[in-house]
Amino acid sequence: MSRNLVIADLHIHSKYSRATSTNMNIRDITYFAQVKGLNLVGTGDFTHPKWLRELKENLVEVSGTGLYKPAEKESSQVWFMITGEVSTVFKFEGKTKKIHHVILVPSIEVAEQINDRLSPYGDLEADGRPTLSMSAPHLVEEVMEVSKENMVFPAHVWTPWFSIFGAFSGFNRVEDCYQDMTKHICALETGLSSNPPMNWRLSALDKFTLLSNSDSHSSWPWRIGREANVFSLEKLTYWEIVDSIRKKDPRRLIFTIETDPAYGKYHWTGHRSCGVSLPPKEAIKLGNRCPVCHRVLTKGVEQRVEELADRPYGFKPPNSPDYMHLLPLSEVLSVVLGSSSPNSRKVWNIYNTLRARFGNEYNVLINAKFEEIAEVTNPLIAEAIIRVREGRVKVIPGYDGVYGQIIIFPEREESMVGAARKKKGEFKAEKRVRLREQRSLADFL
């Protein structure tokens, strides 16, 4: 039986969330999701009354699937799942906890029922990601009482603020956060600053499925789908997606697409105001104090993982879905072209040339051959894309809200022309060392 390859970004936001593009509407999300290569996207923000009204107007349910398609373009290959993110603020053992959670539901009608239950705990119109005065277990209880088909999981679990393991207001154990409702928690979202190998270092997390989503506040292709989940399903339905997550089934959830965790804004410990960025050991030596202003540093994800880990890096639990490291194509082109922005005209020109040839961004990043890329662009761009695919790039770690810096050709610092003048034949002859987790898409099927 043929199976459907589904690339899903289940956590994004609408224009009704703070610090979010006004273009985060169904039309633009659909267009750029298709450009990226996504075929399933979370709606985000179903708790916001105005956004929910727009979802009713702009989406139509695909019968028997628990999923939706754009009303004005039902032929679109992009489907939608009704999703949202909420923030809970509550006291635990005398300390204030601020935790973000993602909610998946099988219909707009179920979303409306959840909104009725959550509205007494916060102003749902204030933000697409509302702040609720209720505990994490209480949230899960309310959501699951509406329907056992719903799913809740903690968002970006390692981010310093607003996450379950966050350094500033988080927990050390999932069970402490969700208490008796932990039985309903079957997944964790890794976030940009961590990847599966970092999470595999904690044996306590083995029972949870690791998911990756963009948490995008923009429809641009260097934001939406920068992290995603790849499913292989006999039939695309809400229930197949949720069941594969609940069962941590590597035959259906085959791998996640991850940015290099160093690319994330909170990978290392640091202090943005003073330009201080430190790996865990150096930060610990300084007592987590900024060497410039002596204030408390923002503890990075790598350091926080190190505090809780009980395994060395490199351990993989059996029967876990795989993963692949990628970087947004626009960002890669920006680095190669020396452009200050992924939104520049020269980046878009080459981006659109590649998309016209290969169909979408994921196909360029994962499947396109060196010779084919070089044919429509040049050998330097082709080599950059292959290096990203094979994990042969450097990333200066992000810290305290600053994204990591991508370095694709470190040798160019010594010779700006050396890499550009290599001939195609030399690239073919060069031995490729492919790491196990960095393979072509066909290797996962």
Side-chain angles (χ1 to χ4, degrees):
M1 180 180 292
S2 63
R3 299 176 72 85
N4 298 293
L5 189 69
V6 179
I7 306 181
D9 184 355
L10 302 176
H11 179 189
I12 69 169
H13 288 282
S14 74
K15 60 187 177 181
Y16 295 103
S17 280
R18 291 186 183 124
T20 301
S21 168
T22 56
N23 292 328
M24 284 299 270
N25 53 60
I26 292 298
R27 183 190 60 202
D28 284 9
I29 293 169
T30 300
Y31 175 77
F32 283 109
Q34 191 163 304
V35 166
K36 189 76 175 185
L38 292 163
N39 42 18
L40 179 61
V41 185
T43 61
D45 297 357
F46 74 69
T47 53
H48 197 282
K50 291 182 179 179
W51 182 237
L52 193 62
R53 193 176 309 127
E54 290 192 26
L55 296 182
K56 288 181 178 180
E57 294 171 353
N58 295 298
L59 296 177
V60 292
E61 188 170 7
V62 182
S63 179
T65 66
L67 301 172
Y68 294 74
K69 278 194 170 186
E72 67 176 26
K73 195 176 181 181
E74 290 190 54
S75 61
S76 170
Q77 297 303 305
V78 178
W79 293 34
F80 284 85
M81 180 186 289
I82 308 302
T83 67
E85 181 187 17
V86 301
S87 176
T88 56
V89 180
F90 58 101
K91 291 281 189 180
F92 179 81
E93 296 182 348
K95 295 182 179 180
T96 299
K97 302 294 183 180
K98 301 177 181 180
I99 313 296
H100 287 183
H101 319 259
V102 178
I103 306 173
L104 313 181
V105 300
S107 71
I108 288 175
E109 291 72 25
V110 170
E112 290 177 314
Q113 294 176 51
I114 291 174
N115 291 352
D116 288 341
R117 284 177 172 257
L118 299 185
S119 58
Y121 303 97
D123 183 358
L124 301 188
E125 294 190 33
D127 189 8
R129 181 186 58 213
T131 298
L132 307 175
S133 297
M134 63 191 309
S135 69
H138 187 187
L139 169 72
V140 176
E141 182 178 25
E142 293 284 0
V143 170
M144 299 309 293
E145 282 186 356
V146 170
S147 173
K148 297 301 181 186
E149 295 178 339
N150 298 333
M151 175 173 282
V152 182
F153 56 84
H156 42 73
V157 296
W158 294 100
T159 305
W161 290 276
F162 306 110
S163 75
I164 189 171
F165 298 132
F168 290 110
S169 63
F171 296 84
N172 290 344
R173 303 189 322 139
V174 174
E175 291 78 8
D176 289 339
C177 178
Y178 289 105
Q179 299 175 45
D180 61 333
M181 290 293 109
T182 302
K183 62 187 177 183
H184 296 298
I185 306 300
C186 58
L188 309 174
E189 183 182 74
T190 58
L192 291 182
S193 293
S194 87
N195 63 2
M198 294 171 69
N199 288 268
W200 290 336
R201 295 191 61 198
L202 280 72
S203 60
L205 304 186
D206 286 356
K207 60 185 175 182
F208 300 103
T209 300
L210 300 179
L211 299 175
S212 292
N213 302 294
S214 70
D215 193 4
S216 184
H217 288 225
S218 165
S219 59
W220 294 123
W222 55 91
R223 290 289 182 259
I224 196 168
R226 58 189 168 180
E227 295 203 327
N229 312 280
V230 183
F231 298 88
S232 177
L233 307 173
E234 291 185 2
K235 185 178 180 182
L236 175 53
T237 70
Y238 171 87
W239 299 283
E240 273 289 300
I241 293 284
V242 167
D243 189 62
S244 67
I245 295 171
R246 284 190 174 133
K247 292 179 179 176
K248 195 180 177 182
D249 184 356
R251 296 169 301 174
R252 290 183 289 172
L253 173 54
I254 51 179
F255 69 99
T256 56
I257 293 172
E258 313 272 343
T259 62
D260 186 311
Y263 177 75
K265 295 191 290 184
Y266 295 100
H267 188 66
W268 268 8
T269 298
H271 189 194
R272 177 172 45 183
S273 298
C274 297
V276 173
S277 173
L278 301 167
K281 288 183 179 180
E282 292 185 25
I284 292 169
K285 286 180 182 178
L286 293 171
N288 288 315
R289 291 279 175 179
C290 176
V292 178
C293 70
H294 306 296
R295 294 180 180 177
V296 175
L297 295 165
T298 299
K299 188 180 294 183
V301 168
E302 188 172 305
Q303 183 174 341
R304 182 68 175 136
V305 170
E306 194 66 44
E307 290 176 350
L308 300 183
D310 58 352
R311 289 174 176 153
Y313 190 91
F315 181 91
K316 181 182 179 182
N319 299 317
S320 294
D322 220 318
Y323 75 100
M324 170 181 277
H325 274 161
L326 293 177
L327 290 166
L329 179 58
S330 302
E331 300 272 12
V332 174
L333 295 176
S334 178
V335 171
V336 175
L337 298 172
S339 175
S340 60
S341 168
N343 200 24
S344 71
R345 183 184 297 273
K346 53 182 184 176
V347 168
W348 272 117
N349 286 342
I350 294 178
Y351 185 97
N352 287 329
T353 297
L354 287 166
R355 187 168 66 88
R357 173 65 176 81
F358 301 105
N360 60 63
E361 178 177 328
Y362 286 139
N363 208 27
V364 174
L365 291 172
I366 299 174
N367 293 320
K369 296 179 180 179
F370 171 86
E371 294 81 1
E372 296 171 331
I373 299 170
E375 183 180 353
V376 295
T377 58
N378 61 57
L380 188 63
I381 289 174
E383 174 66 6
I385 291 170
I386 298 301
R387 287 191 182 196
V388 168
R389 184 184 303 168
E390 297 179 350
R392 296 187 293 116
V393 299
K394 290 184 179 180
V395 180
I396 298 174
Y399 67 98
D400 196 18
V402 178
Y403 279 110
Q405 181 182 344
I406 303 166
I407 301 176
I408 298 174
F409 297 107
E411 64 270 26
R412 291 178 76 185
E413 297 178 8
E414 298 178 1
S415 174
M416 295 297 290
V417 296
R421 290 182 176 175
K422 283 187 176 180
K423 296 178 181 178
K424 187 182 296 186
E426 291 176 297
F427 281 115
K428 285 184 179 180
E430 187 179 86
K431 184 178 180 181
R432 309 290 187 192
V433 180
R434 296 180 181 273
L435 300 179
R436 182 177 185 278
E437 69 272 16
Q438 292 151 344
R439 296 170 285 184
S440 71
L441 184 56
D443 292 323
F444 289 92
L445 302 181

